[in-house]
Amino acid sequence: MRKLYEKNRILFAVLCIVLYCVVMSYLKGNFGYQSIAMLLGITVFANGIIFFVKRNHLEKECGLASWPKNTKRFLYFIPMWILATGNLWDGFALSYHGIELVIAVLSMILVGFVEEMLFRGFLFSAMLSKERAAVAIIVSSLTFGMGHIINLFTGQTSFETIVQMIFAVSWGFILTFVFYKSGSIFPCIIAHSMIDAFSMFGADNALVDQIYVGVTIVAAIVYCIYLGKIKEDVNKNEN
């Protein structure tokens, strides 16, 4: 794996994403988020990423070296985290109960970590080393959204999948911009894990869900224009 990473980081990232999509599609379609199989599968994936990063000393490249140094400059994390609560805007309703709920929430938190590492830590970082920042941001964000097409194979309708892909692309731009500007993937992992975990507690109101998607699209446009004017953290590659 190390040799492939050194030879072609973009190919390495794409292969990891494809493998993840195949595994997640199988686990979700056959067992569900509340299953031990899902939790074990995503735990293995997460530990594999951590092991690879640490063994090859890739913390800086993947944004795991530290929290952003100039914390006061990054108050824009707060709006991102507020937006991440959107799955609770339509009310409170448990998707599962008891131990199944615990397993589902833990799985969703790990999904947030794994997907951020794959799409931001690996793919975006790899593209940024070869392409202009704008190209890397666009490709990473679009790929993140398109990756949600796997939900078609787990019983989700075409309309729901398309809406989810648009929603994911919008979040992809936000998360990629934040990672690029701050040099740290931790704020992105927090936001992503919040979105996924809160989905286990939110009521299913179609109108509110559509409003949330619309707000996210508008917020992504405004957010990215704002972030685009901020200089990257000069300390992001230190320590």
Coordinates of all heavy atoms in Angstrom, one line a residue, residues 52-116:
F52 N -2.2 3.1 8.9 CA -1.5 3.5 7.7 C -0.9 4.8 7.8 O 0.3 5.1 7.5 CB -2.4 3.4 6.4 CG -1.7 3.8 5.2 CD1 -0.9 2.9 4.5 CD2 -1.9 5.0 4.6 CE1 -0.2 3.2 3.3 CE2 -1.2 5.4 3.4 CZ -0.4 4.5 2.8
V53 N -1.7 5.8 8.3 CA -1.2 7.2 8.5 C -0.1 7.2 9.5 O 1.0 7.9 9.2 CB -2.4 8.1 8.9 CG1 -1.8 9.5 9.3 CG2 -3.4 8.2 7.8
K54 N -0.2 6.6 10.6 CA 0.8 6.7 11.7 C 2.1 5.9 11.3 O 3.2 6.4 11.5 CB 0.2 6.1 13.0 CG -0.7 7.1 13.7 CD -1.1 6.6 15.0 CE -1.9 7.6 15.8 NZ -1.2 8.8 16.1
R55 N 1.9 4.8 10.7 CA 3.1 4.0 10.3 C 3.9 4.7 9.3 O 5.2 4.6 9.3 CB 2.6 2.6 9.7 CG 3.7 1.7 9.3 CD 3.2 0.4 8.9 NE 4.3 -0.5 8.5 CZ 5.0 -1.3 9.3 NH1 4.7 -1.3 10.6 NH2 6.0 -2.1 8.8
N56 N 3.3 5.5 8.4 CA 4.0 6.2 7.3 C 4.2 7.6 7.6 O 4.6 8.4 6.7 CB 3.3 5.9 6.0 CG 3.2 4.5 5.6 OD1 4.3 3.9 5.2 ND2 2.1 3.9 5.7
H57 N 3.9 8.1 8.8 CA 4.1 9.4 9.3 C 3.4 10.5 8.3 O 4.1 11.4 7.9 CB 5.6 9.7 9.4 CG 6.3 8.7 10.2 ND1 6.1 8.6 11.6 CD2 7.2 7.7 9.9 CE1 6.9 7.6 12.0 NE2 7.5 7.1 11.0
L58 N 2.1 10.3 8.1 CA 1.4 11.1 7.1 C 0.5 12.1 7.8 O -0.4 12.6 7.2 CB 0.6 10.2 6.1 CG 1.4 9.2 5.3 CD1 0.5 8.3 4.5 CD2 2.4 9.9 4.4
E59 N 0.7 12.3 9.1 CA -0.3 13.1 9.9 C -0.4 14.5 9.3 O -1.5 15.1 9.2 CB 0.2 13.2 11.3 CG 0.0 11.9 12.1 CD 1.2 11.0 12.0 OE1 2.1 11.2 11.2 OE2 1.2 10.0 12.8
K60 N 0.8 15.1 8.9 CA 0.7 16.5 8.3 C 0.0 16.5 7.0 O -0.8 17.4 6.8 CB 2.2 17.0 8.2 CG 2.9 17.3 9.5 CD 4.2 17.9 9.2 CE 5.0 18.3 10.5 NZ 6.3 18.8 10.2
E61 N 0.3 15.6 6.1 CA -0.3 15.5 4.8 C -1.8 15.3 4.9 O -2.5 15.9 4.1 CB 0.3 14.4 4.0 CG 1.8 14.6 3.7 CD 2.3 13.4 2.9 OE1 1.6 12.8 2.2 OE2 3.5 13.1 3.0
C62 N -2.3 14.6 5.9 CA -3.7 14.3 6.0 C -4.4 15.2 6.9 O -5.6 15.0 7.2 CB -3.8 12.8 6.4 SG -3.2 11.6 5.3
G63 N -3.7 16.1 7.5 CA -4.4 17.1 8.4 C -4.6 16.6 9.8 O -5.4 17.2 10.6
L64 N -3.9 15.6 10.2 CA -4.1 15.0 11.6 C -3.0 15.4 12.5 O -2.9 14.9 13.7 CB -4.1 13.5 11.5 CG -5.4 12.8 10.9 CD1 -5.2 11.3 10.8 CD2 -6.6 13.1 11.8
A65 N -2.1 16.3 12.1 CA -1.0 16.7 12.9 C -1.4 17.5 14.1 O -0.9 17.3 15.2 CB 0.0 17.5 12.1
S66 N -2.4 18.4 14.0 CA -2.8 19.2 15.1 C -4.1 19.9 14.8 O -4.5 20.0 13.7 CB -1.7 20.2 15.5 OG -1.6 21.2 14.4
W67 N -4.7 20.5 15.8 CA -5.8 21.4 15.7 C -5.3 22.7 15.1 O -4.1 23.1 15.3 CB -6.4 21.7 17.0 CG -7.7 22.5 17.0 CD1 -7.7 23.9 17.2 CD2 -9.0 22.1 16.7 NE1 -9.0 24.3 17.1 CE2 -9.8 23.3 16.8 CE3 -9.6 20.9 16.4 CZ2 -11.2 23.2 16.6 CZ3 -10.9 20.8 16.1 CH2 -11.7 22.0 16.2
P68 N -6.1 23.5 14.3 CA -5.6 24.7 13.7 C -5.0 25.6 14.8 O -5.5 25.8 15.9 CB -6.9 25.4 13.2 CG -7.7 24.2 12.8 CD -7.5 23.2 13.9
K69 N -3.8 26.2 14.5 CA -3.1 27.0 15.5 C -3.8 28.3 15.9 O -3.9 28.6 17.0 CB -1.7 27.3 14.9 CG -0.8 26.1 14.6 CD -0.5 25.3 15.9 CE 0.5 24.2 15.6 NZ 0.1 23.2 14.7
N70 N -4.2 29.0 14.9 CA -4.8 30.3 15.1 C -6.3 30.1 15.3 O -7.1 30.5 14.4 CB -4.5 31.3 14.0 CG -3.1 31.6 13.8 OD1 -2.3 31.6 14.8 ND2 -2.6 31.7 12.6
T71 N -6.7 29.6 16.5 CA -8.1 29.2 16.7 C -9.0 30.4 16.5 O -10.1 30.2 16.0 CB -8.2 28.7 18.2 OG1 -7.3 27.6 18.3 CG2 -9.6 28.2 18.4
K72 N -8.7 31.6 17.0 CA -9.6 32.8 16.9 C -9.9 33.1 15.4 O -10.9 33.7 15.1 CB -8.9 34.0 17.6 CG -8.8 33.8 19.1 CD -8.3 35.1 19.7 CE -8.2 34.9 21.2 NZ -7.7 36.2 21.9
R73 N -9.0 32.8 14.5 CA -9.2 33.0 13.1 C -10.3 32.1 12.5 O -10.9 32.4 11.5 CB -8.0 32.9 12.3 CG -6.9 34.0 12.4 CD -5.8 33.7 11.4 NE -6.3 33.6 10.1 CZ -5.8 32.8 9.1 NH1 -4.9 32.0 9.4 NH2 -6.4 32.8 7.9
F74 N -10.6 31.0 13.2 CA -11.4 30.0 12.6 C -12.8 29.9 13.3 O -13.3 28.8 13.6 CB -10.7 28.7 12.7 CG -9.4 28.7 11.9 CD1 -8.2 28.6 12.5 CD2 -9.5 28.8 10.5 CE1 -7.0 28.7 11.8 CE2 -8.3 28.9 9.8 CZ -7.1 28.8 10.4
L75 N -13.3 31.1 13.7 CA -14.6 31.1 14.3 C -15.7 30.7 13.2 O -16.8 30.4 13.6 CB -15.0 32.6 14.7 CG -14.2 33.0 16.0 CD1 -14.5 34.5 16.3 CD2 -14.4 32.1 17.2
Y76 N -15.3 30.6 12.0 CA -16.2 30.1 11.0 C -16.5 28.6 11.1 O -17.4 28.1 10.5 CB -15.7 30.4 9.5 CG -14.4 29.9 9.2 CD1 -14.1 28.6 8.9 CD2 -13.3 30.8 9.1 CE1 -12.9 28.1 8.6 CE2 -12.0 30.4 8.7 CZ -11.8 29.0 8.5 OH -10.6 28.6 8.1
F77 N -15.8 28.0 12.0 CA -16.2 26.6 12.4 C -17.6 26.5 13.0 O -18.3 25.6 12.8 CB -15.2 26.0 13.3 CG -13.8 25.8 12.8 CD1 -12.7 25.6 13.6 CD2 -13.6 25.7 11.4 CE1 -11.4 25.4 13.1 CE2 -12.3 25.6 10.9 CZ -11.2 25.4 11.7
I78 N -17.9 27.6 13.8 CA -19.1 27.6 14.5 C -20.4 27.5 13.6 O -21.3 26.7 13.8 CB -19.2 28.8 15.5 CG1 -18.1 28.7 16.5 CG2 -20.6 28.9 16.1 CD1 -18.0 29.9 17.4
P79 N -20.4 28.4 12.5 CA -21.6 28.3 11.6 C -21.6 26.9 11.0 O -22.7 26.4 10.7 CB -21.3 29.4 10.6 CG -20.5 30.4 11.3 CD -19.6 29.6 12.2
M80 N -20.5 26.3 10.7 CA -20.5 25.0 10.1 C -21.1 23.9 11.0 O -21.9 23.1 10.6 CB -19.0 24.6 9.7 CG -18.9 23.2 9.2 SD -17.2 22.8 8.7 CE -16.4 22.7 10.3
W81 N -20.7 24.0 12.3 CA -21.2 23.1 13.2 C -22.7 23.3 13.5 O -23.5 22.4 13.8 CB -20.4 23.2 14.5 CG -19.0 22.7 14.4 CD1 -18.6 21.8 13.5 CD2 -17.9 23.1 15.2 NE1 -17.2 21.6 13.6 CE2 -16.7 22.3 14.6 CE3 -17.7 23.9 16.2 CZ2 -15.5 22.5 15.2 CZ3 -16.4 24.1 16.7 CH2 -15.3 23.4 16.2
I82 N -23.2 24.6 13.5 CA -24.6 24.8 13.6 C -25.4 24.2 12.5 O -26.4 23.6 12.7 CB -24.8 26.4 13.7 CG1 -24.3 26.9 15.0 CG2 -26.4 26.7 13.6 CD1 -24.4 28.4 15.1
L83 N -24.9 24.4 11.3 CA -25.5 23.8 10.1 C -25.5 22.3 10.2 O -26.5 21.7 9.7 CB -24.7 24.3 8.8 CG -25.4 23.9 7.5 CD1 -26.7 24.6 7.3 CD2 -24.4 24.3 6.3
A84 N -24.5 21.7 10.8 CA -24.5 20.3 11.0 C -25.6 19.7 11.8 O -25.8 18.5 11.9 CB -23.1 19.9 11.5
T85 N -26.3 20.6 12.5 CA -27.4 20.1 13.4 C -28.7 20.0 12.6 O -29.8 19.7 13.2 CB -27.7 21.0 14.6 OG1 -28.1 22.3 14.1 CG2 -26.4 21.2 15.4
G86 N -28.7 20.2 11.3 CA -29.9 20.3 10.5 C -30.8 19.1 10.5 O -32.0 19.2 10.3
N87 N -30.2 17.9 10.8 CA -31.0 16.7 10.9 C -32.0 16.7 12.1 O -32.9 15.8 12.2 CB -30.1 15.4 10.9 CG -29.6 15.1 9.5 OD1 -30.3 15.2 8.5 ND2 -28.3 14.7 9.5
L88 N -31.8 17.6 13.0 CA -32.6 17.7 14.1 C -33.7 18.8 14.0 O -34.5 19.0 14.9 CB -31.8 18.0 15.4 CG -30.7 17.0 15.8 CD1 -30.0 17.4 17.0 CD2 -31.4 15.6 16.0
W89 N -33.6 19.6 12.9 CA -34.5 20.7 12.7 C -36.0 20.3 12.6 O -36.9 21.1 12.8 CB -34.1 21.5 11.5 CG -32.8 22.2 11.6 CD1 -32.0 22.2 12.7 CD2 -32.1 23.0 10.6 NE1 -30.8 22.9 12.5 CE2 -30.9 23.4 11.2 CE3 -32.4 23.3 9.3 CZ2 -30.0 24.2 10.5 CZ3 -31.5 24.1 8.6 CH2 -30.3 24.5 9.2
D90 N -36.2 19.1 12.1 CA -37.6 18.6 11.9 C -38.2 17.8 13.1 O -39.2 17.1 13.0 CB -37.8 17.8 10.6 CG -36.7 16.7 10.6 OD1 -35.9 16.5 11.5 OD2 -36.8 15.9 9.6
G91 N -37.5 18.0 14.2 CA -38.0 17.3 15.4 C -37.1 16.1 15.9 O -36.1 15.8 15.2
F92 N -37.5 15.5 17.0 CA -36.7 14.5 17.6 C -37.4 13.2 17.5 O -38.6 13.1 18.0 CB -36.4 14.9 19.1 CG -35.4 14.0 19.8 CD1 -34.1 14.1 19.6 CD2 -35.9 12.9 20.6 CE1 -33.2 13.3 20.3 CE2 -35.0 12.1 21.2 CZ -33.7 12.3 21.1
A93 N -36.8 12.2 16.9 CA -37.4 10.8 16.9 C -36.3 9.8 16.7 O -35.4 10.0 15.8 CB -38.4 10.7 15.7
L94 N -36.3 8.8 17.6 CA -35.2 7.8 17.5 C -35.4 6.8 16.4 O -36.4 6.3 16.2 CB -35.2 7.0 18.8 CG -34.9 7.8 20.1 CD1 -34.9 6.9 21.3 CD2 -33.5 8.6 20.0
S95 N -34.3 6.6 15.6 CA -34.3 5.7 14.5 C -34.2 4.2 15.1 O -34.8 3.3 14.5 CB -33.2 5.9 13.6 OG -33.2 7.2 13.0
Y96 N -33.5 4.1 16.2 CA -33.4 2.8 16.9 C -33.5 3.0 18.4 O -33.6 4.1 18.9 CB -32.0 2.2 16.5 CG -31.8 2.1 15.0 CD1 -30.9 3.0 14.4 CD2 -32.3 1.1 14.3 CE1 -30.7 2.9 13.0 CE2 -32.1 1.0 12.9 CZ -31.3 1.9 12.3 OH -31.0 1.8 11.0
H97 N -33.5 1.9 19.1 CA -33.6 2.0 20.6 C -32.6 1.1 21.2 O -32.1 0.1 20.6 CB -35.0 1.6 21.0 CG -36.1 2.5 20.6 ND1 -36.7 2.4 19.3 CD2 -36.7 3.6 21.2 CE1 -37.6 3.4 19.2 NE2 -37.6 4.1 20.3
G98 N -32.2 1.4 22.5 CA -31.3 0.6 23.2 C -29.9 0.4 22.6 O -29.4 1.4 22.1
I99 N -29.4 -0.8 22.6 CA -28.1 -1.1 22.1 C -28.0 -0.8 20.6 O -26.9 -0.4 20.1 CB -27.7 -2.5 22.5 CG1 -26.2 -2.7 22.1 CG2 -28.6 -3.5 21.7 CD1 -25.2 -1.9 22.9
E100 N -29.1 -1.0 19.9 CA -29.0 -0.7 18.5 C -28.8 0.8 18.2 O -28.1 1.1 17.3 CB -30.3 -1.1 17.8 CG -30.5 -2.7 17.7 CD -31.7 -3.0 16.9 OE1 -32.6 -2.2 16.7 OE2 -31.8 -4.2 16.4
L101 N -29.3 1.6 19.0 CA -29.1 3.1 18.8 C -27.7 3.4 19.1 O -27.1 4.2 18.4 CB -30.0 3.9 19.8 CG -29.9 5.4 19.8 CD1 -30.2 5.9 18.4 CD2 -30.8 6.0 20.8
V102 N -27.1 2.8 20.2 CA -25.7 3.1 20.5 C -24.8 2.6 19.4 O -23.9 3.4 19.0 CB -25.3 2.3 21.8 CG1 -23.8 2.5 22.1 CG2 -26.1 2.9 23.0
I103 N -25.1 1.4 18.8 CA -24.2 0.9 17.7 C -24.4 1.8 16.5 O -23.4 2.1 15.9 CB -24.7 -0.5 17.4 CG1 -24.3 -1.5 18.5 CG2 -24.0 -1.0 16.1 CD1 -24.9 -2.9 18.3
A104 N -25.6 2.3 16.2 CA -25.8 3.1 15.0 C -25.1 4.4 15.2 O -24.4 4.9 14.2 CB -27.3 3.3 14.8
V105 N -25.1 5.1 16.4 CA -24.5 6.3 16.6 C -23.0 6.2 16.5 O -22.3 7.0 15.9 CB -24.9 6.9 18.0 CG1 -24.0 8.1 18.3 CG2 -26.3 7.3 18.0
L106 N -22.4 5.2 17.1 CA -21.0 4.9 17.0 C -20.5 4.7 15.6 O -19.5 5.2 15.1 CB -20.6 3.7 17.9 CG -20.7 3.9 19.4 CD1 -20.4 2.6 20.1 CD2 -19.7 5.0 19.9
S107 N -21.4 3.9 14.8 CA -21.0 3.7 13.4 C -21.0 5.0 12.6 O -20.1 5.2 11.8 CB -22.1 2.7 12.8 OG -22.0 1.4 13.4
M108 N -22.0 5.8 12.9 CA -22.1 7.1 12.2 C -20.9 8.0 12.5 O -20.4 8.7 11.6 CB -23.4 7.8 12.5 CG -24.6 7.1 11.9 SD -24.7 7.1 10.1 CE -23.9 5.5 9.8
I109 N -20.5 8.0 13.7 CA -19.3 8.8 14.1 C -18.1 8.4 13.4 O -17.3 9.2 12.9 CB -19.1 8.8 15.6 CG1 -20.2 9.5 16.4 CG2 -17.7 9.4 16.0 CD1 -20.2 9.4 17.9
L110 N -17.9 7.1 13.3 CA -16.8 6.5 12.6 C -16.9 6.7 11.1 O -15.9 6.9 10.4 CB -16.7 5.0 12.9 CG -16.2 4.6 14.3 CD1 -16.3 3.1 14.5 CD2 -14.8 5.1 14.5
V111 N -18.1 6.7 10.5 CA -18.3 7.0 9.1 C -17.8 8.4 8.8 O -17.2 8.7 7.8 CB -19.8 6.9 8.7 CG1 -20.1 7.5 7.4 CG2 -20.2 5.4 8.6
G112 N -18.1 9.4 9.7 CA -17.7 10.7 9.6 C -16.1 10.8 9.5 O -15.6 11.5 8.6
F113 N -15.5 10.1 10.4 CA -14.0 10.1 10.4 C -13.5 9.4 9.1 O -12.6 10.0 8.4 CB -13.5 9.3 11.6 CG -12.0 9.0 11.5 CD1 -11.1 9.9 11.8 CD2 -11.6 7.7 11.1 CE1 -9.7 9.7 11.7 CE2 -10.2 7.4 11.1 CZ -9.3 8.4 11.4
V114 N -14.0 8.3 8.7 CA -13.5 7.6 7.6 C -13.6 8.4 6.3 O -12.7 8.5 5.5 CB -14.1 6.2 7.4 CG1 -13.8 5.5 6.1 CG2 -13.7 5.3 8.6
E115 N -14.8 8.9 6.1 CA -15.1 9.6 4.9 C -14.3 10.9 4.8 O -13.9 11.3 3.7 CB -16.6 9.9 4.7 CG -17.4 8.7 4.5 CD -18.9 8.9 4.2 OE1 -19.3 10.1 4.2 OE2 -19.6 8.0 4.0
E116 N -14.1 11.6 5.9 CA -13.2 12.8 5.8 C -11.8 12.4 5.5 O -11.1 13.1 4.7 CB -13.3 13.5 7.2 CG -14.5 14.3 7.4 CD -14.8 15.2 6.2 OE1 -14.0 16.1 5.9 OE2 -15.9 15.0 5.6

